[in-house]
Amino acid sequence: MSRPKMPARDWQAEIYARHQYWIAGKPIHMAVGDGWADVVARLFDRIEKALAGEPVPTKIALIDVKEKYATVRIDLLLPVGPEAEAAIDHAILLAEMRSECTCDICGAPGTVRSTLGQSGWLAARCEDHSDGFPRRVVKGHPRRRIQDRRGTFDLVYDRRTDTIVETPVDGGDSR
């Protein structure tokens, strides 16, 4: 006789319960794999910290939390001041970059992989869950290139420290 299956942990409900005071409206379904539960939890914790500096209690509308091109995507309505908005934008960037190197099934370290063929699907997967996604698309740490008034920079995510390192690109002004 087999054991009855235990219900899966409802990590989305747990996150909403912990952060309900700053989320406007009804909870939306987050269309991401269970492996990204920690990615989303870290994001919500960082948003809460950013809102702590706001002069009045603020509610944020969650429009969408989903996976697209092997990365978590978050759409929000932010009625906040510039400091909180910058902190929340940074939290979203950290979540996006962490999701690129986190298996969307189990949460282990992974990489962006693709199915074969012209219309290949992308997924962030570890070695154990790479079946059907044989081709590594991204090698090394997740990175972005940005250009602002200070110059051109590479932003490189370090999973071990959960931080972004900013490095000037050759010819970039690093004032």
Side-chain angles (χ1 to χ4, degrees), residues 47-82:
I47 291 173
E48 180 177 326
K49 185 176 178 184
L51 293 174
E54 287 294 288
V56 294
T58 304
K59 294 251 185 200
I60 291 177
L62 287 173
I63 307 300
D64 205 5
V65 179
K66 65 184 176 190
E67 179 275 333
K68 187 167 187 173
Y69 302 120
T71 305
V72 69
R73 303 297 169 126
I74 300 97
D75 294 318
L76 310 166
L77 287 179
L78 298 171
V80 297

PDB file of all heavy atoms in Angstrom, residues 47-82:
ATOM      1  N   ILE A  47      11.581  44.469  -1.362  1.00  0.00           N
ATOM      2  CA  ILE A  47      10.566  45.500  -1.579  1.00  0.00           C
ATOM      3  C   ILE A  47      10.075  46.020  -0.237  1.00  0.00           C
ATOM      4  O   ILE A  47       9.938  47.232  -0.035  1.00  0.00           O
ATOM      5  CB  ILE A  47       9.402  44.965  -2.442  1.00  0.00           C
ATOM      6  CG1 ILE A  47       9.875  44.717  -3.880  1.00  0.00           C
ATOM      7  CG2 ILE A  47       8.222  45.934  -2.417  1.00  0.00           C
ATOM      8  CD1 ILE A  47       8.854  44.022  -4.766  1.00  0.00           C
ATOM      9  N   GLU A  48       9.820  45.120   0.700  1.00  0.00           N
ATOM     10  CA  GLU A  48       9.373  45.524   2.034  1.00  0.00           C
ATOM     11  C   GLU A  48      10.397  46.459   2.687  1.00  0.00           C
ATOM     12  O   GLU A  48      10.045  47.480   3.272  1.00  0.00           O
ATOM     13  CB  GLU A  48       9.159  44.298   2.909  1.00  0.00           C
ATOM     14  CG  GLU A  48       8.705  44.636   4.315  1.00  0.00           C
ATOM     15  CD  GLU A  48       8.433  43.393   5.131  1.00  0.00           C
ATOM     16  OE1 GLU A  48       7.979  42.379   4.582  1.00  0.00           O
ATOM     17  OE2 GLU A  48       8.664  43.455   6.350  1.00  0.00           O
ATOM     18  N   LYS A  49      11.665  46.120   2.567  1.00  0.00           N
ATOM     19  CA  LYS A  49      12.727  46.950   3.143  1.00  0.00           C
ATOM     20  C   LYS A  49      12.757  48.326   2.476  1.00  0.00           C
ATOM     21  O   LYS A  49      12.924  49.353   3.137  1.00  0.00           O
ATOM     22  CB  LYS A  49      14.075  46.240   2.986  1.00  0.00           C
ATOM     23  CG  LYS A  49      15.216  46.938   3.654  1.00  0.00           C
ATOM     24  CD  LYS A  49      16.489  46.112   3.527  1.00  0.00           C
ATOM     25  CE  LYS A  49      17.654  46.838   4.151  1.00  0.00           C
ATOM     26  NZ  LYS A  49      18.902  46.114   3.973  1.00  0.00           N
ATOM     27  N   ALA A  50      12.576  48.358   1.153  1.00  0.00           N
ATOM     28  CA  ALA A  50      12.573  49.640   0.429  1.00  0.00           C
ATOM     29  C   ALA A  50      11.402  50.512   0.857  1.00  0.00           C
ATOM     30  O   ALA A  50      11.518  51.734   0.942  1.00  0.00           O
ATOM     31  CB  ALA A  50      12.523  49.390  -1.080  1.00  0.00           C
ATOM     32  N   LEU A  51      10.263  49.890   1.138  1.00  0.00           N
ATOM     33  CA  LEU A  51       9.071  50.648   1.539  1.00  0.00           C
ATOM     34  C   LEU A  51       9.155  51.160   2.971  1.00  0.00           C
ATOM     35  O   LEU A  51       8.407  52.063   3.348  1.00  0.00           O
ATOM     36  CB  LEU A  51       7.817  49.783   1.380  1.00  0.00           C
ATOM     37  CG  LEU A  51       7.444  49.426  -0.053  1.00  0.00           C
ATOM     38  CD1 LEU A  51       6.273  48.455  -0.061  1.00  0.00           C
ATOM     39  CD2 LEU A  51       7.123  50.673  -0.851  1.00  0.00           C
ATOM     40  N   ALA A  52      10.059  50.612   3.772  1.00  0.00           N
ATOM     41  CA  ALA A  52      10.183  51.034   5.172  1.00  0.00           C
ATOM     42  C   ALA A  52      10.537  52.514   5.278  1.00  0.00           C
ATOM     43  O   ALA A  52      10.182  53.161   6.259  1.00  0.00           O
ATOM     44  CB  ALA A  52      11.223  50.181   5.884  1.00  0.00           C
ATOM     45  N   GLY A  53      11.189  53.072   4.277  1.00  0.00           N
ATOM     46  CA  GLY A  53      11.567  54.475   4.306  1.00  0.00           C
ATOM     47  C   GLY A  53      10.509  55.432   3.794  1.00  0.00           C
ATOM     48  O   GLY A  53      10.691  56.648   3.826  1.00  0.00           O
ATOM     49  N   GLU A  54       9.399  54.908   3.311  1.00  0.00           N
ATOM     50  CA  GLU A  54       8.334  55.769   2.792  1.00  0.00           C
ATOM     51  C   GLU A  54       7.616  56.471   3.948  1.00  0.00           C
ATOM     52  O   GLU A  54       7.398  55.872   5.000  1.00  0.00           O
ATOM     53  CB  GLU A  54       7.331  54.955   1.976  1.00  0.00           C
ATOM     54  CG  GLU A  54       7.866  54.515   0.629  1.00  0.00           C
ATOM     55  CD  GLU A  54       8.122  55.675  -0.305  1.00  0.00           C
ATOM     56  OE1 GLU A  54       7.182  56.283  -0.805  1.00  0.00           O
ATOM     57  OE2 GLU A  54       9.313  55.975  -0.533  1.00  0.00           O
ATOM     58  N   PRO A  55       7.243  57.745   3.757  1.00  0.00           N
ATOM     59  CA  PRO A  55       6.625  58.506   4.851  1.00  0.00           C
ATOM     60  C   PRO A  55       5.240  58.001   5.262  1.00  0.00           C
ATOM     61  O   PRO A  55       4.851  58.148   6.416  1.00  0.00           O
ATOM     62  CB  PRO A  55       6.540  59.924   4.296  1.00  0.00           C
ATOM     63  CG  PRO A  55       6.630  59.779   2.819  1.00  0.00           C
ATOM     64  CD  PRO A  55       7.428  58.531   2.559  1.00  0.00           C
ATOM     65  N   VAL A  56       4.492  57.433   4.353  1.00  0.00           N
ATOM     66  CA  VAL A  56       3.167  56.886   4.687  1.00  0.00           C
ATOM     67  C   VAL A  56       3.106  55.452   4.195  1.00  0.00           C
ATOM     68  O   VAL A  56       3.797  55.089   3.248  1.00  0.00           O
ATOM     69  CB  VAL A  56       2.023  57.708   4.023  1.00  0.00           C
ATOM     70  CG1 VAL A  56       1.966  59.104   4.592  1.00  0.00           C
ATOM     71  CG2 VAL A  56       2.172  57.748   2.518  1.00  0.00           C
ATOM     72  N   PRO A  57       2.295  54.618   4.831  1.00  0.00           N
ATOM     73  CA  PRO A  57       2.167  53.233   4.341  1.00  0.00           C
ATOM     74  C   PRO A  57       1.738  53.218   2.872  1.00  0.00           C
ATOM     75  O   PRO A  57       0.829  53.934   2.475  1.00  0.00           O
ATOM     76  CB  PRO A  57       1.079  52.641   5.240  1.00  0.00           C
ATOM     77  CG  PRO A  57       1.084  53.492   6.464  1.00  0.00           C
ATOM     78  CD  PRO A  57       1.478  54.871   6.010  1.00  0.00           C
ATOM     79  N   THR A  58       2.439  52.441   2.087  1.00  0.00           N
ATOM     80  CA  THR A  58       2.215  52.406   0.649  1.00  0.00           C
ATOM     81  C   THR A  58       1.786  51.017   0.221  1.00  0.00           C
ATOM     82  O   THR A  58       2.332  50.021   0.680  1.00  0.00           O
ATOM     83  CB  THR A  58       3.521  52.793  -0.087  1.00  0.00           C
ATOM     84  OG1 THR A  58       3.942  54.063   0.366  1.00  0.00           O
ATOM     85  CG2 THR A  58       3.320  52.831  -1.579  1.00  0.00           C
ATOM     86  N   LYS A  59       0.823  50.964  -0.682  1.00  0.00           N
ATOM     87  CA  LYS A  59       0.394  49.700  -1.281  1.00  0.00           C
ATOM     88  C   LYS A  59       0.886  49.665  -2.723  1.00  0.00           C
ATOM     89  O   LYS A  59       0.741  50.633  -3.456  1.00  0.00           O
ATOM     90  CB  LYS A  59      -1.125  49.572  -1.249  1.00  0.00           C
ATOM     91  CG  LYS A  59      -1.680  49.457   0.154  1.00  0.00           C
ATOM     92  CD  LYS A  59      -2.166  48.063   0.366  1.00  0.00           C
ATOM     93  CE  LYS A  59      -2.838  47.941   1.720  1.00  0.00           C
ATOM     94  NZ  LYS A  59      -2.891  46.566   2.130  1.00  0.00           N
ATOM     95  N   ILE A  60       1.438  48.546  -3.111  1.00  0.00           N
ATOM     96  CA  ILE A  60       1.941  48.360  -4.470  1.00  0.00           C
ATOM     97  C   ILE A  60       1.049  47.352  -5.179  1.00  0.00           C
ATOM     98  O   ILE A  60       0.695  46.322  -4.611  1.00  0.00           O
ATOM     99  CB  ILE A  60       3.398  47.857  -4.449  1.00  0.00           C
ATOM    100  CG1 ILE A  60       4.312  48.959  -3.928  1.00  0.00           C
ATOM    101  CG2 ILE A  60       3.830  47.400  -5.827  1.00  0.00           C
ATOM    102  CD1 ILE A  60       5.741  48.541  -3.814  1.00  0.00           C
ATOM    103  N   ALA A  61       0.690  47.646  -6.414  1.00  0.00           N
ATOM    104  CA  ALA A  61      -0.121  46.727  -7.213  1.00  0.00           C
ATOM    105  C   ALA A  61       0.797  45.791  -7.997  1.00  0.00           C
ATOM    106  O   ALA A  61       1.633  46.246  -8.777  1.00  0.00           O
ATOM    107  CB  ALA A  61      -1.027  47.502  -8.158  1.00  0.00           C
ATOM    108  N   LEU A  62       0.651  44.498  -7.736  1.00  0.00           N
ATOM    109  CA  LEU A  62       1.372  43.497  -8.514  1.00  0.00           C
ATOM    110  C   LEU A  62       0.569  43.231  -9.779  1.00  0.00           C
ATOM    111  O   LEU A  62      -0.584  42.815  -9.703  1.00  0.00           O
ATOM    112  CB  LEU A  62       1.497  42.193  -7.733  1.00  0.00           C
ATOM    113  CG  LEU A  62       2.474  42.172  -6.579  1.00  0.00           C
ATOM    114  CD1 LEU A  62       2.334  40.865  -5.825  1.00  0.00           C
ATOM    115  CD2 LEU A  62       3.877  42.326  -7.084  1.00  0.00           C
ATOM    116  N   ILE A  63       1.158  43.511 -10.917  1.00  0.00           N
ATOM    117  CA  ILE A  63       0.487  43.282 -12.188  1.00  0.00           C
ATOM    118  C   ILE A  63       0.784  41.877 -12.699  1.00  0.00           C
ATOM    119  O   ILE A  63      -0.105  41.156 -13.119  1.00  0.00           O
ATOM    120  CB  ILE A  63       0.925  44.326 -13.243  1.00  0.00           C
ATOM    121  CG1 ILE A  63       0.751  45.749 -12.726  1.00  0.00           C
ATOM    122  CG2 ILE A  63       0.208  44.103 -14.561  1.00  0.00           C
ATOM    123  CD1 ILE A  63      -0.651  46.112 -12.345  1.00  0.00           C
ATOM    124  N   ASP A  64       2.054  41.487 -12.640  1.00  0.00           N
ATOM    125  CA  ASP A  64       2.445  40.200 -13.204  1.00  0.00           C
ATOM    126  C   ASP A  64       3.756  39.729 -12.590  1.00  0.00           C
ATOM    127  O   ASP A  64       4.679  40.524 -12.393  1.00  0.00           O
ATOM    128  CB  ASP A  64       2.613  40.355 -14.717  1.00  0.00           C
ATOM    129  CG  ASP A  64       2.419  39.065 -15.482  1.00  0.00           C
ATOM    130  OD1 ASP A  64       2.058  38.048 -14.866  1.00  0.00           O
ATOM    131  OD2 ASP A  64       2.616  39.080 -16.708  1.00  0.00           O
ATOM    132  N   VAL A  65       3.827  38.445 -12.279  1.00  0.00           N
ATOM    133  CA  VAL A  65       5.069  37.759 -11.901  1.00  0.00           C
ATOM    134  C   VAL A  65       5.079  36.502 -12.746  1.00  0.00           C
ATOM    135  O   VAL A  65       4.212  35.635 -12.588  1.00  0.00           O
ATOM    136  CB  VAL A  65       5.114  37.414 -10.396  1.00  0.00           C
ATOM    137  CG1 VAL A  65       6.409  36.675 -10.069  1.00  0.00           C
ATOM    138  CG2 VAL A  65       4.988  38.670  -9.539  1.00  0.00           C
ATOM    139  N   LYS A  66       6.030  36.409 -13.671  1.00  0.00           N
ATOM    140  CA  LYS A  66       6.030  35.293 -14.614  1.00  0.00           C
ATOM    141  C   LYS A  66       7.451  34.960 -15.054  1.00  0.00           C
ATOM    142  O   LYS A  66       8.393  35.693 -14.764  1.00  0.00           O
ATOM    143  CB  LYS A  66       5.200  35.645 -15.849  1.00  0.00           C
ATOM    144  CG  LYS A  66       5.794  36.800 -16.660  1.00  0.00           C
ATOM    145  CD  LYS A  66       4.913  37.186 -17.820  1.00  0.00           C
ATOM    146  CE  LYS A  66       5.504  38.400 -18.526  1.00  0.00           C
ATOM    147  NZ  LYS A  66       4.576  38.952 -19.494  1.00  0.00           N
ATOM    148  N   GLU A  67       7.566  33.853 -15.784  1.00  0.00           N
ATOM    149  CA  GLU A  67       8.830  33.464 -16.405  1.00  0.00           C
ATOM    150  C   GLU A  67       8.755  33.836 -17.868  1.00  0.00           C
ATOM    151  O   GLU A  67       7.745  33.603 -18.538  1.00  0.00           O
ATOM    152  CB  GLU A  67       9.031  31.947 -16.260  1.00  0.00           C
ATOM    153  CG  GLU A  67      10.307  31.432 -16.903  1.00  0.00           C
ATOM    154  CD  GLU A  67      10.182  31.140 -18.392  1.00  0.00           C
ATOM    155  OE1 GLU A  67       9.069  30.836 -18.854  1.00  0.00           O
ATOM    156  OE2 GLU A  67      11.194  31.223 -19.094  1.00  0.00           O
ATOM    157  N   LYS A  68       9.803  34.476 -18.360  1.00  0.00           N
ATOM    158  CA  LYS A  68       9.888  34.774 -19.785  1.00  0.00           C
ATOM    159  C   LYS A  68      11.360  34.718 -20.182  1.00  0.00           C
ATOM    160  O   LYS A  68      12.193  35.363 -19.553  1.00  0.00           O
ATOM    161  CB  LYS A  68       9.305  36.157 -20.085  1.00  0.00           C
ATOM    162  CG  LYS A  68       9.209  36.449 -21.559  1.00  0.00           C
ATOM    163  CD  LYS A  68       8.363  37.665 -21.819  1.00  0.00           C
ATOM    164  CE  LYS A  68       8.160  37.816 -23.312  1.00  0.00           C
ATOM    165  NZ  LYS A  68       7.217  38.871 -23.615  1.00  0.00           N
ATOM    166  N   TYR A  69      11.658  33.941 -21.196  1.00  0.00           N
ATOM    167  CA  TYR A  69      13.035  33.762 -21.673  1.00  0.00           C
ATOM    168  C   TYR A  69      13.960  33.322 -20.542  1.00  0.00           C
ATOM    169  O   TYR A  69      15.064  33.837 -20.388  1.00  0.00           O
ATOM    170  CB  TYR A  69      13.557  35.031 -22.350  1.00  0.00           C
ATOM    171  CG  TYR A  69      12.712  35.472 -23.512  1.00  0.00           C
ATOM    172  CD1 TYR A  69      12.103  36.724 -23.515  1.00  0.00           C
ATOM    173  CD2 TYR A  69      12.510  34.639 -24.595  1.00  0.00           C
ATOM    174  CE1 TYR A  69      11.312  37.135 -24.573  1.00  0.00           C
ATOM    175  CE2 TYR A  69      11.714  35.043 -25.660  1.00  0.00           C
ATOM    176  CZ  TYR A  69      11.126  36.290 -25.642  1.00  0.00           C
ATOM    177  OH  TYR A  69      10.335  36.686 -26.688  1.00  0.00           O
ATOM    178  N   ALA A  70      13.496  32.387 -19.715  1.00  0.00           N
ATOM    179  CA  ALA A  70      14.278  31.776 -18.634  1.00  0.00           C
ATOM    180  C   ALA A  70      14.642  32.755 -17.524  1.00  0.00           C
ATOM    181  O   ALA A  70      15.590  32.544 -16.788  1.00  0.00           O
ATOM    182  CB  ALA A  70      15.531  31.104 -19.192  1.00  0.00           C
ATOM    183  N   THR A  71      13.875  33.811 -17.389  1.00  0.00           N
ATOM    184  CA  THR A  71      14.129  34.827 -16.362  1.00  0.00           C
ATOM    185  C   THR A  71      12.803  35.238 -15.734  1.00  0.00           C
ATOM    186  O   THR A  71      11.794  35.310 -16.423  1.00  0.00           O
ATOM    187  CB  THR A  71      14.798  36.077 -16.997  1.00  0.00           C
ATOM    188  OG1 THR A  71      15.973  35.666 -17.684  1.00  0.00           O
ATOM    189  CG2 THR A  71      15.168  37.100 -15.960  1.00  0.00           C
ATOM    190  N   VAL A  72      12.816  35.504 -14.431  1.00  0.00           N
ATOM    191  CA  VAL A  72      11.604  35.985 -13.783  1.00  0.00           C
ATOM    192  C   VAL A  72      11.352  37.425 -14.245  1.00  0.00           C
ATOM    193  O   VAL A  72      12.281  38.208 -14.415  1.00  0.00           O
ATOM    194  CB  VAL A  72      11.700  35.895 -12.238  1.00  0.00           C
ATOM    195  CG1 VAL A  72      12.693  36.873 -11.661  1.00  0.00           C
ATOM    196  CG2 VAL A  72      10.341  36.082 -11.595  1.00  0.00           C
ATOM    197  N   ARG A  73      10.099  37.735 -14.525  1.00  0.00           N
ATOM    198  CA  ARG A  73       9.692  39.091 -14.933  1.00  0.00           C
ATOM    199  C   ARG A  73       8.647  39.583 -13.944  1.00  0.00           C
ATOM    200  O   ARG A  73       7.710  38.864 -13.624  1.00  0.00           O
ATOM    201  CB  ARG A  73       9.113  39.111 -16.341  1.00  0.00           C
ATOM    202  CG  ARG A  73      10.027  38.568 -17.413  1.00  0.00           C
ATOM    203  CD  ARG A  73      11.287  39.415 -17.545  1.00  0.00           C
ATOM    204  NE  ARG A  73      12.241  38.723 -18.378  1.00  0.00           N
ATOM    205  CZ  ARG A  73      12.805  39.241 -19.447  1.00  0.00           C
ATOM    206  NH1 ARG A  73      12.530  40.467 -19.792  1.00  0.00           N
ATOM    207  NH2 ARG A  73      13.657  38.541 -20.145  1.00  0.00           N
ATOM    208  N   ILE A  74       8.790  40.816 -13.503  1.00  0.00           N
ATOM    209  CA  ILE A  74       7.898  41.393 -12.510  1.00  0.00           C
ATOM    210  C   ILE A  74       7.399  42.734 -13.018  1.00  0.00           C
ATOM    211  O   ILE A  74       8.201  43.593 -13.418  1.00  0.00           O
ATOM    212  CB  ILE A  74       8.615  41.601 -11.157  1.00  0.00           C
ATOM    213  CG1 ILE A  74       9.124  40.266 -10.605  1.00  0.00           C
ATOM    214  CG2 ILE A  74       7.693  42.246 -10.141  1.00  0.00           C
ATOM    215  CD1 ILE A  74      10.542  39.989 -10.895  1.00  0.00           C
ATOM    216  N   ASP A  75       6.082  42.907 -13.022  1.00  0.00           N
ATOM    217  CA  ASP A  75       5.476  44.188 -13.382  1.00  0.00           C
ATOM    218  C   ASP A  75       4.705  44.698 -12.173  1.00  0.00           C
ATOM    219  O   ASP A  75       3.863  43.978 -11.622  1.00  0.00           O
ATOM    220  CB  ASP A  75       4.522  44.025 -14.574  1.00  0.00           C
ATOM    221  CG  ASP A  75       5.257  43.636 -15.850  1.00  0.00           C
ATOM    222  OD1 ASP A  75       6.331  44.212 -16.096  1.00  0.00           O
ATOM    223  OD2 ASP A  75       4.754  42.772 -16.575  1.00  0.00           O
ATOM    224  N   LEU A  76       4.999  45.937 -11.771  1.00  0.00           N
ATOM    225  CA  LEU A  76       4.392  46.546 -10.593  1.00  0.00           C
ATOM    226  C   LEU A  76       3.934  47.956 -10.908  1.00  0.00           C
ATOM    227  O   LEU A  76       4.471  48.605 -11.808  1.00  0.00           O
ATOM    228  CB  LEU A  76       5.420  46.668  -9.450  1.00  0.00           C
ATOM    229  CG  LEU A  76       6.233  45.470  -9.043  1.00  0.00           C
ATOM    230  CD1 LEU A  76       7.392  45.901  -8.166  1.00  0.00           C
ATOM    231  CD2 LEU A  76       5.369  44.500  -8.292  1.00  0.00           C
ATOM    232  N   LEU A  77       2.971  48.447 -10.130  1.00  0.00           N
ATOM    233  CA  LEU A  77       2.641  49.873 -10.117  1.00  0.00           C
ATOM    234  C   LEU A  77       3.214  50.420  -8.828  1.00  0.00           C
ATOM    235  O   LEU A  77       2.855  49.966  -7.734  1.00  0.00           O
ATOM    236  CB  LEU A  77       1.125  50.095 -10.164  1.00  0.00           C
ATOM    237  CG  LEU A  77       0.458  49.809 -11.494  1.00  0.00           C
ATOM    238  CD1 LEU A  77      -1.042  50.043 -11.388  1.00  0.00           C
ATOM    239  CD2 LEU A  77       1.031  50.678 -12.601  1.00  0.00           C
ATOM    240  N   LEU A  78       4.114  51.395  -8.943  1.00  0.00           N
ATOM    241  CA  LEU A  78       4.869  51.881  -7.792  1.00  0.00           C
ATOM    242  C   LEU A  78       4.544  53.335  -7.455  1.00  0.00           C
ATOM    243  O   LEU A  78       5.195  54.247  -7.969  1.00  0.00           O
ATOM    244  CB  LEU A  78       6.378  51.793  -8.074  1.00  0.00           C
ATOM    245  CG  LEU A  78       6.971  50.423  -8.321  1.00  0.00           C
ATOM    246  CD1 LEU A  78       8.404  50.542  -8.796  1.00  0.00           C
ATOM    247  CD2 LEU A  78       6.899  49.596  -7.056  1.00  0.00           C
ATOM    248  N   PRO A  79       3.601  53.593  -6.577  1.00  0.00           N
ATOM    249  CA  PRO A  79       3.350  54.975  -6.155  1.00  0.00           C
ATOM    250  C   PRO A  79       4.276  55.351  -4.996  1.00  0.00           C
ATOM    251  O   PRO A  79       3.846  55.553  -3.859  1.00  0.00           O
ATOM    252  CB  PRO A  79       1.880  54.924  -5.710  1.00  0.00           C
ATOM    253  CG  PRO A  79       1.724  53.537  -5.180  1.00  0.00           C
ATOM    254  CD  PRO A  79       2.628  52.664  -6.025  1.00  0.00           C
ATOM    255  N   VAL A  80       5.593  55.392  -5.282  1.00  0.00           N
ATOM    256  CA  VAL A  80       6.586  55.633  -4.230  1.00  0.00           C
ATOM    257  C   VAL A  80       7.527  56.759  -4.647  1.00  0.00           C
ATOM    258  O   VAL A  80       7.559  57.159  -5.809  1.00  0.00           O
ATOM    259  CB  VAL A  80       7.406  54.356  -3.930  1.00  0.00           C
ATOM    260  CG1 VAL A  80       6.517  53.253  -3.388  1.00  0.00           C
ATOM    261  CG2 VAL A  80       8.155  53.869  -5.162  1.00  0.00           C
ATOM    262  N   GLY A  81       8.316  57.217  -3.697  1.00  0.00           N
ATOM    263  CA  GLY A  81       9.311  58.249  -3.964  1.00  0.00           C
ATOM    264  C   GLY A  81      10.499  57.697  -4.738  1.00  0.00           C
ATOM    265  O   GLY A  81      10.639  56.477  -4.918  1.00  0.00           O
ATOM    266  N   PRO A  82      11.399  58.592  -5.192  1.00  0.00           N
ATOM    267  CA  PRO A  82      12.517  58.156  -6.039  1.00  0.00           C
ATOM    268  C   PRO A  82      13.497  57.199  -5.350  1.00  0.00           C
ATOM    269  O   PRO A  82      14.028  56.305  -5.994  1.00  0.00           O
ATOM    270  CB  PRO A  82      13.208  59.461  -6.440  1.00  0.00           C
ATOM    271  CG  PRO A  82      12.651  60.518  -5.557  1.00  0.00           C
ATOM    272  CD  PRO A  82      11.357  60.040  -5.020  1.00  0.00           C
TER     273      PRO A  82
END
